């Protein structure tokens, strides 16, 4: 009588069917370009061996940034990340070549672009002050979708814990997140292992080393290690570990973690799975595994759930194997999809 149809038939009294669960999100494969000036002053893509980008005293030159970015987009990269690895020594807003790289890439590359290096407040040679938001503004206007913050994040975490986990809204992470949204702020972490014989030997969160297929024991047989967050491209250690940094950055409004590992960089022997699992367990932010990829199986190891002895990462990033044509991006995604049964973006 109210105008609604009355169910009839043998299933009239059956409960309504439950819609199927949505498929798991596709994992991302990200190409990374470490960009710096060579001896001639030109911006080139380079690649380090445990963060050393020079060979026989000369910066390794693996190609031009815009050309490589376009190539990776055509090959199926889900995102492209530019890391300006000398920006901590430069006046960022005067770094016109890097801004030009972004502008040119944005005209040809239609996947998210992340840029890192020098996202911080600074004072120029004339005494004029610039905020971290003004620096980020320049990158976003040039075509970036996200900015990656490294050393400044470690400094902010030190202050966060010194103030007993109280926020005041002044950090670059908080300011940029407030203006552009959490999803626009990536935290790039450059940790290295610090071995200890026993967990009780340090106040930092440790992982156990030496498991089957895992990271090696320490030089004196140490079974445990914590991960020290470094600054200035690995040149300076801090007293902050990766668990502390992840906690502080999530509280400040960061949206994602780019998790490198100095010990694995350029080695081609796989990602640091103990590190990835530890950071994933410490926060709810997406984690991008980086450093160490040498073959498609390594991507699967990083992206497989921790319950299946994987890293549990949300995305995997690589550089050298793509630059040197060792493994095409499409082969990595095909392996993940067809062999490892890990969903990827298409």
């Amino acid at each position: 009588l109210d105008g609604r149809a009355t169910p009839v038939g043998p299933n009239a009294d059956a409960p309504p069917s439950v819609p199927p669960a949505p498929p798991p999100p596709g994992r991302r494969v990200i190409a990374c370009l470490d960009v710096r000036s060579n001896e001639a002053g030109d911006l080139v893509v380079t690649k380090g061996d445990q963060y050393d980008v020079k060979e026989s005293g000369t910066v390794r030159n693996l190609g031009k940034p815009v050309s490589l970015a376009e190539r990776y987009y055509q090959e199926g990269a889900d995102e492209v990340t530019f890391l300006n690895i000398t920006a901590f020594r430069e006046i960022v807003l005067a770094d016109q070549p890097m801004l030009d790289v972004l502008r040119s890439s944005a005209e040809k590359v239609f996947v998210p672009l992340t840029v890192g290096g020098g996202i911080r407040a600074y004072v120029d040679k004339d005494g004029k002050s610039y905020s971290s938001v003004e620096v980020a503004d320049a990158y976003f206007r040039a075509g970036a979708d996200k900015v990656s913050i490294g050393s400044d994040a470690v400094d902010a975490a030190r202050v966060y814990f010194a103030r007993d986990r109280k926020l005041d809204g002044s950090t670059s992470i908080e300011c940029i997140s407030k203006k552009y949204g959490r999803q626009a702020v990536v935290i790039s972490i450059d940790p290295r292992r610090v071995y200890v014989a026993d967990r009780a030997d340090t106040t930092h969160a440790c992982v156990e080393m030496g498991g089957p297929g895992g990271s090696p024991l320490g030089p004196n047989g140490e079974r445990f290690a914590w991960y020290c967050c470094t600054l200035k491209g690995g040149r300076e250690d801090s007293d902050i570990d990766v668990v502390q940094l992840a906690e502080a950055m999530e509280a400040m409004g960061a949206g994602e973690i780019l998790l490198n590992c100095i010990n694995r960089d350029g080695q081609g022997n796989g990602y640091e799975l103990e590190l990835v699992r530890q950071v994933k367990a410490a926060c709810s932010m997406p984690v991008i595994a980086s450093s160490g990829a040498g073959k498609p199986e390594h991507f699967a190891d990083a992206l497989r759930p921790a319950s299946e002895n994987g890293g549990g990462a949300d995305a995997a990033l690589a550089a050298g194997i793509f630059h040197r044509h060792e493994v095409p991006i499409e082969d990595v995604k095909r392996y993940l999809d067809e062999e490892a049964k890990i969903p990827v973006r298409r």
Side-chain angles (χ1 to χ4, degrees), residues 25-36:
R27 296 297 187 246
R28 291 168 289 153
V29 176
I30 300 173
C32 181
L33 293 82
D34 292 336
V35 180
R36 66 158 289 167

Side-chain angles (χ1 to χ4, degrees), residues 53 67 102 128 142 174 211 258 271:
V53 299
S67 297
L102 271 176
K128 184 177 179 179
E174 293 168 272
L258 170 53
Y271 297 94

Side-chain angles (χ1 to χ4, degrees), residues 211-224:
S215 299
L217 296 173
N220 298 309
E222 296 94 338
R223 290 181 53 229
F224 301 95

Side-chain angles (χ1 to χ4, degrees), residues 105-338:
S105 297
E107 293 176 354
K108 302 175 181 179
V109 178
F110 303 106
V111 293
L113 298 176
T114 299
V115 62
I119 312 292
R120 67 189 188 281
Y122 73 95
V123 179
D124 68 15
K125 57 182 174 54
D126 297 320
K128 184 177 179 179
S129 297
Y130 296 88
S131 71
S132 59
V133 172
E134 290 176 294
V135 175
D137 286 342
Y139 280 137
F140 285 125
R141 285 195 299 268
D145 298 278
K146 311 177 191 179
V147 293
S148 174
I149 300 174
S151 296
D152 212 40
V154 179
D155 288 334
R158 285 168 163 162
V159 174
Y160 173 75
F161 288 106
R163 292 178 175 172
D164 196 23
R165 296 177 166 84
K166 291 182 174 63
L167 301 174
D168 66 2
S170 66
T171 67
S172 59
I173 298 92
E174 293 168 272
C175 294
I176 298 171
S177 177
K178 181 178 180 180
K179 180 170 183 177
Y180 289 100
R182 182 182 288 266
Q183 83 292 335
V185 181
V186 179
I187 303 302
S188 181
I189 307 179
D190 295 323
R192 72 170 90 249
R193 301 180 203 128
V194 178
Y195 284 102
V196 291
D198 190 273
R199 294 180 191 271
D201 294 341
T202 180
T203 59
H204 293 287
C206 291
V207 296
E208 188 167 359
M209 314 301 278
S215 299
L217 296 173
N220 298 309
E222 296 94 338
R223 290 181 53 229
F224 301 95
W226 63 277
Y227 292 98
C228 166
C229 296
T230 68
L231 303 89
K232 300 179 180 178
R235 292 170 176 80
E236 181 181 310
D237 289 343
S238 79
D239 55 348
I240 297 293
D241 64 47
V242 292
V243 171
Q244 292 171 315
L245 189 59
E247 176 194 330
M249 294 304 102
E250 188 159 34
M252 291 179 192
E256 192 166 38
I257 287 178
L258 170 53
L259 187 57
N260 307 293
C261 180
I262 294 175
N263 306 88
R264 295 273 179 172
D265 182 59
Q267 303 305 296
N269 57 0
Y271 297 94
E272 186 94 348
L273 301 184
E274 299 90 345
L275 169 63
V276 179
R277 285 192 288 262
Q278 186 183 44
V279 174
K280 276 295 294 181
C283 69
S284 62
M285 292 180 287
V287 172
I288 303 167
S290 175
S291 306
K295 56 185 179 180
E297 290 85 348
H298 292 154
F299 290 81
D301 292 338
L303 298 171
R304 192 175 291 116
S307 60
E308 299 175 16
N309 297 318
D314 302 275
L317 175 150
I321 62 169
F322 297 152
H323 302 336
R324 296 187 293 265
H325 297 271
E326 294 171 8
V327 182
I329 293 173
E330 57 262 39
D331 286 0
V332 172
K333 299 183 87 168
R334 187 180 305 112
Y335 176 85
L336 292 172
D337 185 31
E338 298 176 5

